[in-house]
Amino acid sequence: SQTIHQWPATLVQPVGSPLSLECTVEGTSNPNLYWYRQAAGRGLQLLFYSVGIGQISSEVPQNLSASRPQDRQFILSSKKLLLSDSGFYLCAWSATLQGTYEQYFGPGTRLTVT
Amino acid sequence: AQSVTQLDSQVPVFEEAPVELRCNYSSSVSVYLFWYVQYPNQGLQLLLKYLSGSTLVKGINGFEAEFNKSQTSFHLRKPSVHISDTAEYFCAVSGNTPLVFGKGTRLSVIA
């Protein structure tokens, strides 16, 4: 069966510091991968998605970036964190980009920027 | 493009009472509809999905939803809620784009 991992589970970082969040998927090949941010009371915001290695689509312009160095690995990064980057970050995968296949979510990373 | 509107941001309900969480969607193409549940500090878990066929869809934990094409709705229902159903619920639509999520409805079950 497929599983999705995220780490770290929680992170407290000062403003201006770099960020690296990692997501890996097991049990499937060539998944579509997604990064979402969830801020309090604001629902889910799609940040990036990827259909393959090195292929990243950005949904929201910001100081975050994403990379996909391996088929089942998705990394969210920032060179300098802002207070507004605080939130709950969720990684997800799906078999297809659109249509009938649902997304499966990881456990999330709680990021607090101080 | 698709969009989703969850009409209630918060729904308080007493234990063992019925509940309906409302979801309306907008799309110019055929859609596939989903409901997810999120417990505190966890990821989202799929409750149920509508792809085609019967408009009444049954999911996990006793939840069901009805697809109504004429009203562009996909409301979630449960005849009798438990304390453990306290969570945030997200409606989502997919057509010719990745999943589009609503802003969520926080269900609070009161003992």
Side-chain angles (χ1 to χ4, degrees):
Chain A
S1 65
Q2 301 87 8
T3 52
I4 179 168
H5 304 279
Q6 285 186 246
W7 63 89
T10 60
L11 191 59
V12 180
Q13 293 282 95
V15 168
S17 64
L19 173 73
S20 181
L21 303 181
E22 189 165 343
C23 170
T24 58
V25 180
E26 296 177 356
T28 187
S29 295
N30 196 30
N32 294 285
L33 296 172
Y34 309 83
W35 276 113
Y36 290 89
R37 177 168 59 201
Q38 199 175 16
R42 297 184 63 182
L44 284 164
Q45 180 184 32
L46 178 62
L47 301 175
F48 302 94
Y49 64 92
S50 171
V51 301
I53 296 173
Q55 300 178 66
I56 308 294
S57 296
S58 174
E59 290 290 300
V60 182
Q62 58 213 329
N63 70 321
L64 298 172
S65 62
S67 62
R68 185 170 176 174
Q70 300 181 43
D71 182 45
R72 289 169 287 179
Q73 184 185 29
F74 204 24
I75 297 171
L76 183 70
S77 304
S78 174
K79 293 182 179 179
K80 289 185 177 182
L81 284 169
L82 306 172
L83 284 174
S84 57
D85 292 323
S86 292
F88 193 50
Y89 288 81
L90 290 161
C91 180
W93 76 272
S94 67
T96 62
L97 191 60
Q98 55 197 239
T100 62
Y101 287 93
E102 62 267 32
Q103 292 179 16
Y104 299 92
F105 285 80
T109 295
R110 175 75 59 190
L111 172 66
T112 303
V113 182
T114 59
Chain B
Q2 292 89 38
S3 67
V4 176
T5 302
Q6 291 185 243
L7 298 162
D8 306 294
S9 60
Q10 297 186 58
V11 173
V13 62
F14 286 103
E15 193 174 18
E16 298 183 5
V19 70
E20 179 180 81
L21 305 183
R22 298 181 292 168
C23 172
N24 285 91
Y25 69 91
S26 173
S27 176
S28 57
V29 299
S30 296
V31 296
Y32 309 100
L33 294 155
F34 307 81
W35 275 101
Y36 284 83
V37 60
Q38 185 182 31
Y39 300 103
N41 293 311
Q42 294 185 27
L44 276 68
Q45 177 184 2
L46 182 69
L47 270 180
L48 48 80
K49 60 184 177 182
Y50 170 78
L51 305 180
S52 64
S54 173
T55 57
L56 185 62
V57 180
K58 294 189 182 297
I60 62 172
N61 301 342
F63 283 93
E64 63 182 31
E66 186 160 16
F67 172 61
N68 188 319
K69 188 175 182 179
S70 62
Q71 296 186 13
T72 61
S73 67
F74 190 54
H75 300 334
L76 181 70
R77 302 186 183 101
K78 186 169 182 178
S80 175
V81 296
H82 304 289
I83 294 289
S84 59
D85 293 322
T86 294
E88 187 132 19
Y89 292 79
F90 292 92
C91 182
V93 61
S94 176
N96 58 0
T97 64
L99 277 183
V100 175
F101 287 86
K103 292 189 181 298
T105 297
R106 185 171 299 278
L107 174 64
S108 298
V109 181
I110 305 161

